[in-house]
Amino acid sequence: MAARTAHRITGLHGRYAAPGDKSISHRALMLGGLAVGETRISGLLEGEDVLATARAMRQFGASVERDGDGAWTVRGVGVGGLRAPSDVVDLANAGTGVRLLMGVAATHPFTTVFTGDASLRRRPMERVMAPLRQMGARFTAAEGGRLPLTVEGARMPLPLRYEVPVPSAQVKSAVMLAGLNAPGRTIVVERQRTRDHTENMLRHFGATVSVEGAVISLDGQPELRGAALAVPGDPSSAAFPLVAALVTEGSEVTVTGISVNPLRAGLFETLAEMGASLDIANRRIEGGEPVADVTARSSSLRGVDVPPERAPSMIDEYPVLAVAAAFAEGRTVMRGLGELRVKESDRIAAMAAGLAANGVAVEELEDGLVVEGRPGDVAGGGTVETFMDHRIAMSFLVLGCASREPVTVDEDAMIATSFPGFAGLMAAAGARLEAAA
Ligand code: S3P
């Protein structure tokens, strides 16, 4: 165990490049492996989750290498061309990795055994298995539809029209990736729109994907062609230093090259409503995604009601939003967050307990959190149980940058799953994150 303590500081400063987007990095490795020819990826996130997907794609027969200049090269085998892994495929902590690869494996005619770490083995997989069964795959899973599980891929894959019952880009993407190797058209209908990186990247590799409102159609069995790809910066990671700057006195931090895809940008919208001083500058398109440089300055925040329908566009950002809310004047209400209970941890419970341990008035709801903010008077002084969840750990280290007393998280190793450079960036900006005694 490596506990870490954040001490109060004033003045976070600097300009930093955002780490590569985790969602896009997983998809780049997978689609590169399913394309014919070479895919060169720059800016790939070298976090543990993505490295697990890289290992998995090698097990499926793609060549995945890191080049001397830090770019990655994938040599793909073509749609339907993967081979049976000779051993168990272990995705460690990567929910996106395993769920999307279950889709890929579902329409390849061989058997794959997937597993993951203790956190991933607790997460629900039935949501992915249900549509994939309809495409012809067979599953044997551990109790409750969990990992470890075996996928017997369909020999005669069927296309599917599927309405996703929970807002989930992972379920949508699993069905689309399975549909790649099915004849005919696979259609996914979303009740609430979720991140569209799979759709965008499939097009980038030459597939025909149409999106009409909530209806996404993919023409099956395309020939995907290897393509150059630049991964934009991850807004979900950039959120931590930016919120740290907002809540810490005398700060100004810029994070460059962040994806501002509207289906990922809900946090920025919410922070702006809270009165945050955020400049979104230098908007441009990189690698097919809108990106920008975002500057955050210390701000007097006020509590808001976050519209529940905004949840899919900021689903991973509620932990750090709850920290911002602790420093905002008045009450912040976050609802419609049932999905947070089945992330790397039960994030509603973990945030409620961690905030309470640091003197923040918080109410836990079945589907959300209510935080009573007290600007300038967040006690801190608590030790937070992270449940091995990277975003819980980073959120409370941000809280400790501005609370009266230091804040300790019981474990920080998992931060490397999504943001291996977090401690380095924060230290460079002026934060004091020290190994706990
Ligand atoms: C992701 C989708 C979201 C998100 C996760 C990444 C993706 O999960 O929480 O961090 O890359 O598709 P759900 O699909 O479970 O909502």
Side-chain angles (χ1 to χ4, degrees):
M1 295 288 271
R4 192 161 290 273
T5 301
H7 297 264
R8 181 179 185 139
I9 38 108
T10 48
L12 289 170
H13 290 283
R15 188 178 170 88
Y16 308 94
D21 188 78
K22 181 152 75 78
S23 292
I24 294 177
S25 295
H26 283 296
R27 287 157 171 83
L29 293 172
M30 292 178 199
L31 290 184
L34 291 169
V36 174
E38 194 173 289
T39 290
R40 259 181 76 79
I41 309 167
S42 60
L44 188 86
L45 172 68
E46 294 179 347
E48 299 293 340
D49 277 13
V50 175
L51 299 178
T53 288
R55 284 193 298 275
M57 288 309 295
R58 288 191 195 109
Q59 286 181 273
F60 281 116
S63 146
V64 181
E65 283 162 36
R66 186 180 199 275
D67 306 334
D69 60 0
W72 288 66
T73 301
V74 182
R75 285 185 192 82
V77 295
V79 167
L82 297 179
R83 64 157 194 246
S86 58
D87 201 351
V88 173
V89 179
D90 184 348
L91 270 304
N93 197 241
T96 305
V98 78
R99 292 197 176 122
L100 270 57
L101 285 173
M102 283 166 66
V104 171
T107 52
H108 277 78
F110 51 70
T111 298
T112 309
V113 184
F114 286 109
T115 193
D117 69 7
S119 152
L120 196 58
R121 291 197 308 270
R122 277 193 294 270
R123 298 182 65 187
M125 297 296 152
E126 179 55 33
R127 54 179 58 196
V128 188
M129 293 191 282
L132 298 178
R133 269 189 213 105
Q134 296 180 47
M135 302 178 86
R138 300 206 321 209
F139 293 90
T140 313
E143 182 85 17
R146 321 257 151 183
L147 296 174
L149 64 77
T150 301
V151 186
E152 252 180 82
R155 274 160 215 283
M156 306 257 280
L158 302 167
L160 179 66
R161 180 187 169 95
Y162 190 66
E163 183 170 334
V164 189
V166 287
S168 168
Q170 292 176 354
V171 175
K172 166 176 67 177
S173 301
V175 172
M176 293 183 75
L177 291 173
L180 271 181
N181 199 30
R185 185 168 288 179
T186 288
I187 297 172
V188 180
V189 183
E190 290 194 295
R191 290 181 193 164
Q192 277 181 288
R193 292 196 68 197
T194 62
R195 65 191 72 194
D196 56 0
H197 309 306
T198 303
E199 296 88 308
N200 296 342
M201 205 183 290
L202 277 168
R203 284 202 197 98
H204 185 69
F205 280 93
T208 302
V209 177
S210 72
V211 182
E212 278 166 41
V215 182
I216 303 152
S217 310
L218 165 71
D219 290 353
Q221 298 181 323
E223 178 165 302
L224 300 183
R225 289 176 303 276
L229 223 146
V231 178
D234 197 326
S236 304
S237 295
F240 296 103
L242 291 172
V243 169
L246 294 176
V247 300
T248 305
E249 263 172 57
S251 298
E252 178 172 327
V253 169
T254 301
V255 184
T256 60
I258 304 175
S259 163
V260 286
N261 180 322
L263 294 166
R264 295 287 298 281
L267 176 72
F268 298 135
E269 212 176 323
T270 304
L271 290 171
E273 289 168 6
M274 295 173 81
S277 166
L278 278 181
D279 283 347
I280 304 186
N282 196 12
R283 287 181 188 267
R284 57 207 186 269
I285 301 286
E286 273 179 16
E289 291 272 332
V291 302
D293 304 335
V294 181
T295 300
R297 292 182 199 86
S298 318
S299 300
S300 300
L301 301 176
R302 52 182 180 271
V304 292
D305 274 13
V306 186
E309 62 276 10
R310 195 178 288 161
S313 70
M314 54 177 295
I315 194 65
D316 294 333
E317 283 66 80
Y318 284 95
V320 77
L321 176 67
V323 167
F327 293 95
E329 183 71 54
R331 171 178 293 202
T332 294
V333 181
M334 296 163 259
R335 300 210 65 154
L337 311 182
E339 278 295 298
L340 285 194
R341 294 212 180 264
V342 291
K343 296 293 179 188
E344 286 82 328
S345 69
D346 175 344
R347 287 183 172 158
I348 296 180
M351 286 310 298
L355 288 170
N358 286 288
V360 178
V362 56
E363 188 191 343
E364 178 177 346
L365 311 172
E366 189 44 45
D367 73 336
L369 283 175
V370 180
V371 176
E372 294 287 346
R374 269 193 283 161
D377 193 24
V378 175
T383 295
V384 173
E385 200 176 342
T386 58
F387 303 95
M388 302 295 279
D389 184 327
H390 53 134
R391 297 200 201 280
I392 301 299
M394 287 187 276
S395 295
F396 282 101
L397 291 172
V398 168
L399 185 93
C401 291
S403 57
R404 279 205 313 272
E405 300 296 327
V407 173
T408 298
V409 298
D410 66 357
E411 176 62 65
D412 73 345
M414 303 306 275
I415 292 174
T417 59
S418 66
F419 195 170
F422 172 76
L425 186 158
M426 293 297 287
R432 269 182 68 205
L433 309 181
E434 293 171 1

